[in-house]
PDB file of all heavy atoms in Angstrom:
ATOM      1  N   GLY K 121      -1.761  32.764 -28.774  1.00 94.00           N
ATOM      2  CA  GLY K 121      -2.993  33.548 -28.624  1.00 94.00           C
ATOM      3  C   GLY K 121      -2.954  34.344 -27.330  1.00 94.00           C
ATOM      4  O   GLY K 121      -1.915  34.426 -26.664  1.00 94.00           O
ATOM      5  N   ASP K 122      -4.069  34.931 -26.950  1.00 94.00           N
ATOM      6  CA  ASP K 122      -4.128  35.704 -25.708  1.00 94.00           C
ATOM      7  C   ASP K 122      -4.253  34.764 -24.507  1.00 94.00           C
ATOM      8  O   ASP K 122      -5.048  33.822 -24.516  1.00 94.00           O
ATOM      9  CB  ASP K 122      -5.308  36.674 -25.742  1.00 94.00           C
ATOM     10  CG  ASP K 122      -5.069  37.821 -26.709  1.00 94.00           C
ATOM     11  OD1 ASP K 122      -3.895  38.046 -27.074  1.00 94.00           O
ATOM     12  OD2 ASP K 122      -6.036  38.493 -27.086  1.00 94.00           O
ATOM     13  N   THR K 123      -3.502  35.062 -23.471  1.00 94.00           N
ATOM     14  CA  THR K 123      -3.438  34.202 -22.286  1.00 94.00           C
ATOM     15  C   THR K 123      -4.384  34.721 -21.207  1.00 94.00           C
ATOM     16  O   THR K 123      -4.530  35.937 -21.055  1.00 94.00           O
ATOM     17  CB  THR K 123      -1.999  34.223 -21.734  1.00 94.00           C
ATOM     18  OG1 THR K 123      -1.128  33.713 -22.750  1.00 94.00           O
ATOM     19  CG2 THR K 123      -1.846  33.379 -20.485  1.00 94.00           C
ATOM     20  N   SER K 124      -5.018  33.819 -20.471  1.00 94.00           N
ATOM     21  CA  SER K 124      -5.836  34.303 -19.347  1.00 94.00           C
ATOM     22  C   SER K 124      -5.342  33.712 -18.029  1.00 94.00           C
ATOM     23  O   SER K 124      -4.959  32.542 -17.952  1.00 94.00           O
ATOM     24  CB  SER K 124      -7.312  33.969 -19.567  1.00 94.00           C
ATOM     25  OG  SER K 124      -7.567  32.627 -19.309  1.00 94.00           O
ATOM     26  N   ILE K 125      -5.339  34.583 -17.017  1.00 95.00           N
ATOM     27  CA  ILE K 125      -4.950  34.190 -15.657  1.00 95.00           C
ATOM     28  C   ILE K 125      -6.160  34.444 -14.769  1.00 95.00           C
ATOM     29  O   ILE K 125      -6.754  35.527 -14.830  1.00 95.00           O
ATOM     30  CB  ILE K 125      -3.744  35.013 -15.165  1.00 95.00           C
ATOM     31  CG1 ILE K 125      -2.530  34.756 -16.060  1.00 95.00           C
ATOM     32  CG2 ILE K 125      -3.408  34.694 -13.716  1.00 95.00           C
ATOM     33  CD1 ILE K 125      -1.365  35.661 -15.765  1.00 95.00           C
ATOM     34  N   SER K 126      -6.526  33.457 -13.971  1.00 95.00           N
ATOM     35  CA  SER K 126      -7.748  33.597 -13.165  1.00 95.00           C
ATOM     36  C   SER K 126      -7.489  33.341 -11.693  1.00 95.00           C
ATOM     37  O   SER K 126      -6.590  32.580 -11.321  1.00 95.00           O
ATOM     38  CB  SER K 126      -8.805  32.602 -13.649  1.00 95.00           C
ATOM     39  OG  SER K 126      -9.085  32.808 -14.999  1.00 95.00           O
ATOM     40  N   LEU K 127      -8.311  33.992 -10.888  1.00 96.00           N
ATOM     41  CA  LEU K 127      -8.336  33.743  -9.448  1.00 96.00           C
ATOM     42  C   LEU K 127      -9.783  33.434  -9.099  1.00 96.00           C
ATOM     43  O   LEU K 127     -10.693  34.167  -9.508  1.00 96.00           O
ATOM     44  CB  LEU K 127      -7.866  34.987  -8.680  1.00 96.00           C
ATOM     45  CG  LEU K 127      -7.758  34.842  -7.169  1.00 96.00           C
ATOM     46  CD1 LEU K 127      -6.659  33.859  -6.786  1.00 96.00           C
ATOM     47  CD2 LEU K 127      -7.482  36.202  -6.528  1.00 96.00           C
ATOM     48  N   LEU K 128      -9.987  32.327  -8.374  1.00 94.00           N
ATOM     49  CA  LEU K 128     -11.355  31.880  -8.115  1.00 94.00           C
ATOM     50  C   LEU K 128     -11.535  31.640  -6.619  1.00 94.00           C
ATOM     51  O   LEU K 128     -10.680  31.028  -5.973  1.00 94.00           O
ATOM     52  CB  LEU K 128     -11.589  30.574  -8.890  1.00 94.00           C
ATOM     53  CG  LEU K 128     -12.993  30.219  -9.298  1.00 94.00           C
ATOM     54  CD1 LEU K 128     -13.612  31.300 -10.179  1.00 94.00           C
ATOM     55  CD2 LEU K 128     -12.984  28.895 -10.070  1.00 94.00           C
ATOM     56  N   TYR K 129     -12.657  32.154  -6.090  1.00 95.00           N
ATOM     57  CA  TYR K 129     -12.998  31.913  -4.683  1.00 95.00           C
ATOM     58  C   TYR K 129     -14.203  30.988  -4.630  1.00 95.00           C
ATOM     59  O   TYR K 129     -15.224  31.249  -5.280  1.00 95.00           O
ATOM     60  CB  TYR K 129     -13.310  33.232  -3.977  1.00 95.00           C
ATOM     61  CG  TYR K 129     -13.836  33.037  -2.582  1.00 95.00           C
ATOM     62  CD1 TYR K 129     -12.996  32.599  -1.560  1.00 95.00           C
ATOM     63  CD2 TYR K 129     -15.183  33.257  -2.293  1.00 95.00           C
ATOM     64  CE1 TYR K 129     -13.488  32.401  -0.275  1.00 95.00           C
ATOM     65  CE2 TYR K 129     -15.681  33.062  -1.010  1.00 95.00           C
ATOM     66  CZ  TYR K 129     -14.822  32.629  -0.005  1.00 95.00           C
ATOM     67  OH  TYR K 129     -15.314  32.417   1.255  1.00 95.00           O
ATOM     68  N   GLU K 130     -14.080  29.920  -3.866  1.00 94.00           N
ATOM     69  CA  GLU K 130     -15.193  28.967  -3.721  1.00 94.00           C
ATOM     70  C   GLU K 130     -15.958  29.359  -2.456  1.00 94.00           C
ATOM     71  O   GLU K 130     -15.436  29.234  -1.351  1.00 94.00           O
ATOM     72  CB  GLU K 130     -14.647  27.546  -3.590  1.00 94.00           C
ATOM     73  CG  GLU K 130     -13.900  27.083  -4.830  1.00 94.00           C
ATOM     74  CD  GLU K 130     -12.859  26.006  -4.515  1.00 94.00           C
ATOM     75  OE1 GLU K 130     -12.692  25.628  -3.343  1.00 94.00           O
ATOM     76  OE2 GLU K 130     -12.194  25.551  -5.452  1.00 94.00           O
ATOM     77  N   ALA K 131     -17.189  29.829  -2.653  1.00 95.00           N
ATOM     78  CA  ALA K 131     -17.980  30.293  -1.503  1.00 95.00           C
ATOM     79  C   ALA K 131     -18.718  29.128  -0.839  1.00 95.00           C
ATOM     80  O   ALA K 131     -19.900  29.218  -0.527  1.00 95.00           O
ATOM     81  CB  ALA K 131     -18.957  31.367  -1.960  1.00 95.00           C
TER      82      ALA K 131
END
Side-chain angles (χ1 to χ4, degrees):
Chain K
D122 289 342
T123 299
S124 77
I125 298 172
S126 302
L127 184 66
L128 206 59
Y129 173 71
E130 297 154 359

